[in-house]
Amino acid sequence: MQENADRLARLARAWDESAAGYEAYFVPRFAPWVDLAVAGVTDADLPDGAILVPCCGTFPELDRLIDRFPDREIVGIDLSPGMVELARDRAAGRPHVEAIVGDAQALDARWTGRCAAVVSVFGLQQLPDPLAAVRAWLDALRPGGRLSVVFWPDVTETDGPFALVAAVIRANLPAYDDSRWESELAAAVTDHGAVLDRDELPTFPMTHAAAAEYFDAAAHSGPLRSLAIARGDAFMDRLRAEFLRRAPAGEWRHDPHARLITAHR
Ligand SMILES: C[S@@+](CC[C@H](N)C(=O)[O-])C[C@H]1O[C@@H](n2cnc3c(N)ncnc32)[C@H](O)[C@@H]1O
């Protein structure tokens, strides 16, 4: 219990510290996957009800949702007050839109069976129990409501900065595999009474000016921030040195894949 609370507190702090840098560096690079996730609900006729965006971060999903559903109640939920502050900036002047601080895995009971859609991008893989989160998100849907989730699986590429960071971390931390849930995800959706519409590994190109630029963005404003807080500067310096020693020189283009699942009630 305490371990889970500590993990959530560290994640919230990590994303607070990352928020502005994440918006500048990662949001533009992750945009094709955000488009895809949002299209998973905007390409459909939705029933009435709110659209929830768990793990909204700075809320890059918002503009695309508003284009299609200008009058809907749209609610972003994120653990990090720093992220929510930027999400609120993005939502400013939109009376139907709200961004709230909260745990995406423990949705408020007021949403149960009342939502038209749940869209979540790049948050699921960080949650303590991703399958429980997906079940909670399905429970929020009305009949006909849609779920669209994009997340980073444990393996995103065989070659590229994401793969190299993972290899360098594995070499410096005791082996720890918590990715078994990924193979149980499709069954978790159907066992929970929903229809799985898509289960894909969408790939898009991404470019970094140099290996160091990527590592520093990840460590200061992205997915490595939480590790940096937990392990400290000396550990991160060691990871960085090893990463740079094994990385190619110059601009680095790669083609990582995420995983998309869409489902409906
Ligand atoms: C990589 S960011 C993605 C943000 C945004 N959806 C995007 O695509 O840019 C992941 C977000 O998930 C949030 N997050 C992590 N665990 C969470 C939890 N248990 N509840 C709510 N948000 C959480 C983090 O605070 C962070 O803002």
Side-chain angles (χ1 to χ4, degrees):
M1 203 67 171
Q2 187 54 41
E3 196 189 324
N4 190 35
D6 290 349
R7 180 180 162 173
L8 287 183
R10 195 173 70 230
L11 255 185
R13 180 182 152 200
W15 287 110
D16 281 348
E17 292 176 7
S18 298
Y22 179 85
E23 170 70 17
Y25 193 86
F26 289 101
V27 166
R29 286 173 173 80
F30 290 175
W33 288 282
V34 173
D35 283 342
L36 206 60
V38 173
V41 303
T42 56
D43 287 354
D45 286 327
L46 294 183
D48 290 342
I51 299 175
L52 297 191
V53 187
C55 307
C56 65
T58 63
F59 223 164
E61 302 88 352
L62 183 61
D63 292 342
R64 296 154 174 94
L65 287 169
I66 286 177
D67 281 349
R68 171 74 168 83
F69 299 110
D71 302 320
R72 286 280 171 153
E73 182 182 6
I74 302 175
V75 181
I77 302 163
D78 202 281
L79 201 57
S80 151
M83 283 290 196
V84 167
E85 207 178 304
L86 296 188
R88 286 182 181 149
D89 288 347
R90 197 172 241 125
R94 315 273 193 181
H96 303 284
V97 180
E98 204 185 351
I100 55 180
V101 176
D103 183 356
Q105 197 172 309
L107 290 185
D108 193 293
R110 78 186 147 120
W111 300 117
T112 306
R114 298 209 31 235
C115 297
V118 175
V119 188
S120 187
V121 186
F122 295 143
L124 185 68
Q125 76 281 347
Q126 299 175 19
L127 302 182
D129 187 345
L131 298 183
V134 163
R135 286 191 283 266
W137 298 348
L138 288 170
D139 286 340
L141 298 177
R142 294 184 169 206
R146 305 232 150 219
L147 174 70
S148 182
V149 181
V150 165
F151 66 94
W152 292 120
D154 190 42
V155 177
T156 56
E157 59 186 6
T158 51
D159 195 24
F162 293 3
L164 183 54
V165 159
V168 168
I169 291 175
R170 264 197 311 274
N172 284 275
L173 277 180
Y176 173 65
D177 179 10
D178 65 351
S179 62
R180 204 175 58 129
W181 64 272
E182 290 177 30
S183 62
E184 297 167 5
L185 181 56
V189 169
T190 51
D191 290 351
H192 208 58
V195 177
L196 185 67
D197 297 309
R198 293 168 70 183
D199 186 352
E200 300 164 11
L201 299 175
T203 303
F204 295 101
M206 201 184 298
T207 304
H208 311 279
E213 188 198 60
Y214 169 69
F215 188 92
D216 293 341
H220 295 291
S221 319
L224 298 184
R225 190 73 215 133
S226 180
L227 182 68
I229 292 170
R231 296 275 161 173
D233 290 344
F235 178 82
M236 294 308 286
D237 289 347
R238 203 162 68 238
L239 283 194
R240 186 179 193 273
E242 192 173 332
F243 178 82
L244 295 183
R245 190 172 50 73
R246 294 169 60 180
E251 185 179 274
W252 202 353
R253 180 190 182 278
H254 62 130
D255 298 280
H257 65 258
R259 182 165 167 198
L260 164 76
I261 60 157
T262 68
H264 70 274
R265 272 263 171 234

